[in-house]
Amino acid sequence: MDEREYHVLIEKDDNHGFIGTVPQLRDCTAYGENLDELMVNIKKAIILARVDDDLDVDSGFLGVYKLEVEVEER
């Protein structure tokens, strides 16, 4: 059994939960009320996505960068 590394993009949703998306796998998304629950659920989603697709998508994902930009107030 091989071990693979996946990137998980994490966002907060409107209900203060978390949504995780794996760019390397098509339609691989999970939800958790906290980060621990999200990680359990995203691992399950990865396994299911690999079984359904069996091919990783070369997403070209490089990372996330936080950029601060000064804007004028309206």
Side-chain angles (χ1 to χ4, degrees), residues 11-55:
E11 301 175 82
K12 275 193 169 185
D13 77 348
D14 294 339
N15 298 321
H16 306 289
F18 296 91
I19 300 169
T21 305
V22 179
Q24 292 114 307
L25 296 170
R26 227 175 323 246
D27 300 324
C28 186
T29 303
Y31 175 83
E33 291 185 12
N34 56 54
L35 289 174
D36 290 335
E37 182 180 340
L38 173 62
M39 289 301 112
V40 168
N41 292 339
I42 201 70
K43 286 179 183 180
K44 291 176 184 176
I46 289 169
I47 291 166
L48 290 173
R50 298 246 337 126
V51 166
D52 289 344
D53 198 2
D54 204 27
L55 292 174

